Amino acid sequence: MGTVRSRMTGIGSYVPPRVVTNDDLTQWLDTSDEWIVQRTGIRERRWVEGTTSTSDLALEASKQALESAGMVAGDLDMIFLATLSPDHFFPGSAVFLQTKLGISGIPAIDVRQQCTGFIYAISIADQYIRTGAAQRILVVGAEVHSKGLDKSTRGRDVTVLFGDGAGGVILEATDVTDPAVDSYIMSTHLYADGAYAEELWVPGVSTAYDEEIVDPRMIDRGDQYPKMNGRQVFVHAVKHMPEAVETALAQNGYTIDDVDLFVFHQANLRINEAAAQRLGVPGDKVFNTIERFANTTAATIPIGLHEAIKAGRLERGMLVASAAFGSGFTWGSALFRW
Ligand SMILES: CC(C)(COP(=O)(O)OP(=O)(O)OC[C@H]1O[C@@H](n2cnc3c(N)ncnc32)[C@H](O)[C@@H]1OP(=O)(O)O)[C@@H](O)C(=O)NCCC(=O)NCCS
């Protein structure tokens, strides 16, 4: 008899088919492919069309994750959906995903930790599995950014960075008998510092002003669009992501060299190169997707894991370190054997 831990038994991801290149963006805002590639590494991103919502993208990723785990939606005990771009102000988007999956009754929970949302969500789900309160949990990250970006030159510093997509995993309870070889989540570490909340945020739609939640003055100010202090985000991300990885490795008795693959959040290629350099990680151990998908926030890490599998870079038995940093500020890490 071993110890009950969570294992990722299924994975799926979905990006909408519409490709928006850096050159495409120049029809709405003053930017260039050269500026975006040099500063961020991004070449293109995906945008949804029509009525496609966050829970629609989440559904596609969830169906794949269930199938790859050999499960149907009715087998699930819980659903977590991490997103900063919900279908509606309330209720949370997890309940819309639940209905689209054709099930009811089980808890459906939204997680609102932005770029760190997936790490937060698997951390919470992992606690339910460790305590025995749940055995099979769907954890999805999904975002529709394209409908919430300022597509004028005013918003160009933020708008070029984000794309739409979804990714998810199935966590299942597993009996770990040999921690050195078994596939399971070893640890998650979560952090936040709300003193920096306004360095990367959407000021409205809001109850914090002497106005209606949606007010014409708010819209005149452009408060419905994300605002970012890019330098602050950059500096803190480069510091905190490596720290969170080092903490995870130390807690589990591993070193950087033991890790087979690093799947970091994808905000900026330069952030990830700097983080890898701080950790002393060779570039070929870091898997990046930012070039094709830009920053898909809570969807980024599961999309990265799935893309790494498709590219033959991630196989069962490999030790994986993930870390994310984003709005809040929030950050965290997860260490697991795939
Ligand atoms: C946003 C970011 C790429 C900007 O890079 P930077 O080198 O700091 O650039 P600056 O902000 O100093 O801007 C340099 C110039 O480019 C301009 N610029 C900003 N966005 C631009 C764009 N999309 N296209 C062209 N020019 C742009 C600025 O207006 C500024 O012009 P100025 O010098 O005439 O004032 C960088 O700060 C970054 O990636 N930060 C982290 C952001 C992030 O990760 N966000 C998500 C976190 S989850």
Side-chain angles (χ1 to χ4, degrees), residues 25 29-36 38-40 84 114-116 153-162 199-200 228-235 237 265-271 290 295 297 324-327 329-330:
L25 292 175
L29 44 99
D30 181 12
T31 190
S32 67
D33 179 58
E34 190 190 6
W35 192 96
I36 299 170
Q38 268 183 8
R39 296 286 210 298
T40 71
L84 67 66
Q114 301 72 244
C115 294
T116 324
T153 296
R154 179 180 63 175
R156 66 180 177 175
D157 60 326
V158 176
T159 298
V160 302
L161 302 177
F162 292 96
E199 302 293 346
L200 176 53
M228 179 181 71
N229 180 341
R231 291 250 163 91
Q232 279 275 30
V233 174
F234 199 102
V235 168
H265 177 59
Q266 307 281 305
N268 183 321
L269 193 59
R270 289 189 305 157
I271 291 179
I290 191 157
N295 182 352
T297 306
F325 180 89
S327 162
F329 289 155
T330 56

Side-chain angles (χ1 to χ4, degrees), residues 39-209:
R39 296 286 210 298
T40 71
I42 298 164
R43 293 186 185 275
E44 59 188 44
R45 74 284 292 140
R46 303 299 181 95
W47 284 5
V48 296
E49 293 173 278
T51 59
T52 304
S53 70
T54 295
S55 66
D56 289 326
L57 299 185
L59 176 66
E60 296 306 319
S62 302
K63 286 195 291 197
Q64 289 178 30
L66 284 164
E67 194 184 338
S68 81
M71 285 171 45
V72 295
D75 296 328
L76 293 171
D77 297 330
M78 297 181 91
I79 297 171
F80 287 91
L81 173 55
T83 186
L84 67 66
S85 47
D87 287 16
H88 299 281
F89 195 66
F90 78 84
S93 302
V95 297
F96 292 100
L97 172 62
Q98 179 188 41
T99 301
K100 287 173 184 174
L101 283 166
I103 54 175
S104 62
I106 62 166
I109 301 166
D110 278 41
V111 175
R112 292 290 309 267
Q113 267 64 34
Q114 301 72 244
C115 294
T116 324
F118 184 75
I119 301 267
Y120 265 72
I122 58 167
S123 179
I124 303 164
D126 184 43
Q127 311 309 316
Y128 276 92
I129 287 180
R130 284 177 184 235
T131 59
Q135 274 73 48
R136 291 163 295 270
I137 305 180
L138 169 64
V139 182
V140 196
E143 305 287 356
V144 172
H145 281 301
S146 57
K147 294 180 183 179
L149 296 170
D150 183 352
K151 297 186 194 74
S152 71
T153 296
R154 179 180 63 175
R156 66 180 177 175
D157 60 326
V158 176
T159 298
V160 302
L161 302 177
F162 292 96
D164 302 340
V169 296
I170 304 292
L171 296 191
E172 280 192 73
T174 185
D175 203 28
V176 173
T177 51
D178 187 349
V181 297
D182 289 351
S183 290
Y184 73 104
I185 297 175
M186 290 155 194
S187 66
T188 52
H189 286 85
L190 307 180
Y191 306 92
D193 187 349
Y196 297 94
E198 297 178 13
E199 302 293 346
L200 176 53
W201 70 323
V202 176
V205 174
S206 168
T207 60
Y209 306 108

Side-chain angles (χ1 to χ4, degrees), residues 148-149 154 202-205 218-227:
L149 296 170
R154 179 180 63 175
V202 176
V205 174
M218 192 181 276
I219 292 167
D220 289 344
R221 294 193 298 268
D223 279 359
Q224 71 275 35
Y225 297 124
K227 306 283 181 292

